[in-house]
Amino acid sequence: MPELPEVEVTRRGLAPFVVGRTVETVAVREARLRWPVPRDLGASMEGKRVEQLERRGKYLLWRFEHGTLISHLGMSGVWRVWPRAAVPEPQRHDHVDIVLASHLIRLTDPRRFGALLWHRAEEGPLASHALLAGLGIEPFDPRFDGPLLHRETRRRSAAIKQVLLAGDIVVGVGNIYASEALFRAGIHPRVSAHRLGHERCVRLAAAVREVLAEAIGVGGSTLRDFVSAAGDEGYFMLEAKVYERVGLPCRRCSAPIRRIVQGQRATYYCPRCQR
DNA sequence: AGCTGGTCCTGATGGC
DNA sequence: TGCCATCAGGACCAGC
């Protein structure tokens, strides 16, 4: 399940092969994703140079002068890089190939929760795109801190776990790292967001940043294998303190970790360390 | 077979 | 009454 760290590691892995390169051809062979991949994607990109590869939340943005390829990995999406001399036969869940001079970049997404859309520059600023406009602040933006989190949660009565996941205050916190960040901050996942005091918001903001940064570090250590990653290990995870550890002893206090369901999603926490 | 999950969408609810 | 922000639930999928 790609969370922000996976997307960021993907961005760093792809960038050397993509930025400053010109797209030769695009093949859309399985257009069914969350929304149909535009058939004329090739016409939009072929012969054009990728200026930058950026990330906003969990969206990966291929910036061209005249537009942007907006990509989301959903639940199971992976971008892989192949030398053109060694490209394997397309498989069932291979959706799109982007062919550059020396490498081919392939999007695979079995569950099809991902997205691949084209935004023309003349439509207006990318940040105003419907998918991006409502996103919260980046966790590594220096403006994201405890006071901001405190201010933004005053009107939110929902559980803090679900407010983190909503992504309209801070982006990039998925189901795994929401549990992990709350454990690190010592906050019970069911606490109403607006009940959190200033001090606890300071701790939670720091925990979110730390957990995500450490996870990027873990994924970053695999970057040297990014091209033709033979192991197909698209995802990675920080050593979980609570995630999927129901019944196991808390690594800090040994109390059994609990599993609850919030918004139809699993949450894990330590009943003694988190209040 | 039934359960899982990230995000968008829709429709309901709440506050003013 | 109306509006806006927030909230809850449903839908989308293949793989186990």
Side-chain angles (χ1 to χ4, degrees):
Chain A
M1 294 139 278
E3 298 201 16
L4 181 146
E6 281 85 354
V7 180
E8 177 60 21
V9 168
T10 296
R11 188 191 69 77
R12 295 179 188 182
L14 287 183
F17 301 95
V18 164
V19 176
R21 318 280 172 165
T22 297
V23 175
E24 291 194 1
T25 58
V26 176
V28 180
R29 52 174 60 88
E30 171 50 272
R32 291 178 301 168
L33 283 176
R34 178 160 198 168
W35 299 281
V37 178
R39 284 188 210 87
D40 57 349
L41 201 52
S44 302
M45 297 168 64
E46 284 165 12
K48 310 292 188 186
R49 191 180 69 199
V50 184
E51 302 294 327
Q52 283 300 331
L53 194 58
E54 298 174 354
R55 180 188 56 72
R56 177 76 176 99
K58 298 175 189 170
Y59 289 91
L60 196 59
L61 307 170
W62 304 53
R63 308 295 303 263
F64 296 73
E65 248 179 40
H66 65 303
T68 301
L69 180 68
I70 301 174
S71 137
H72 196 289
L73 297 177
M75 291 291 302
S76 58
V78 179
W79 284 105
R80 288 207 182 81
V81 180
W82 301 94
R84 278 180 67 174
V87 179
E89 276 304 294
Q91 310 279 304
R92 180 157 160 236
H93 301 300
D94 292 342
H95 292 263
V96 173
D97 287 343
I98 297 175
V99 184
L100 311 169
S102 57
H103 289 82
L104 178 150
I105 322 291
R106 173 170 287 171
L107 177 65
T108 306
D109 185 0
R111 294 198 189 176
R112 310 202 322 237
F113 280 112
L116 203 56
L117 298 170
W118 180 256
H119 173 266
R120 282 179 299 127
E122 54 195 50
E123 290 172 41
L126 181 64
S128 310
H129 189 282
L131 293 177
L132 307 177
L135 297 182
I137 194 167
E138 287 289 327
F140 302 125
D141 187 318
R143 291 169 295 178
F144 172 63
D145 58 9
L148 181 146
L149 186 57
H150 186 258
R151 209 181 317 131
E152 295 293 325
T153 46
R154 292 312 84 191
R155 293 182 179 167
R156 306 293 287 267
S157 58
I160 183 60
K161 158 85 177 328
Q162 296 180 265
V163 169
L164 281 180
L165 282 183
D168 51 353
I169 296 179
V170 58
V171 292
V173 183
N175 202 45
I176 298 172
Y177 297 124
S179 282
E180 294 297 317
L182 286 166
F183 172 80
R184 189 172 297 220
I187 295 169
H188 194 292
R190 277 194 172 130
V191 175
S192 279
H194 67 319
R195 289 237 178 87
L196 290 176
H198 199 270
E199 193 50 43
R200 312 187 87 198
C201 287
V202 170
R203 265 190 284 143
L204 182 52
V208 165
R209 260 186 272 113
E210 290 164 10
V211 164
L212 295 178
E214 288 174 23
I216 290 171
V218 170
S221 63
T222 68
L223 264 185
R224 71 174 72 93
D225 301 326
F226 202 85
V227 185
S228 9
D232 278 20
E233 304 295 341
Y235 309 125
F236 49 86
M237 196 171 75
L238 208 53
E239 182 197 59
K241 295 282 197 294
V242 290
Y243 191 73
E244 286 189 331
R245 299 195 72 243
V246 59
L248 297 174
C250 171
R251 297 192 200 273
R252 185 189 286 160
C253 79
S254 297
I257 298 301
R258 287 191 188 161
R259 178 189 189 276
I260 57 176
V261 174
Q262 296 178 278
Q264 309 171 68
R265 262 169 258 156
T267 303
Y268 299 85
Y269 71 100
C270 170
R272 194 183 295 169
C273 294
Q274 296 175 254
R275 302 287 172 168

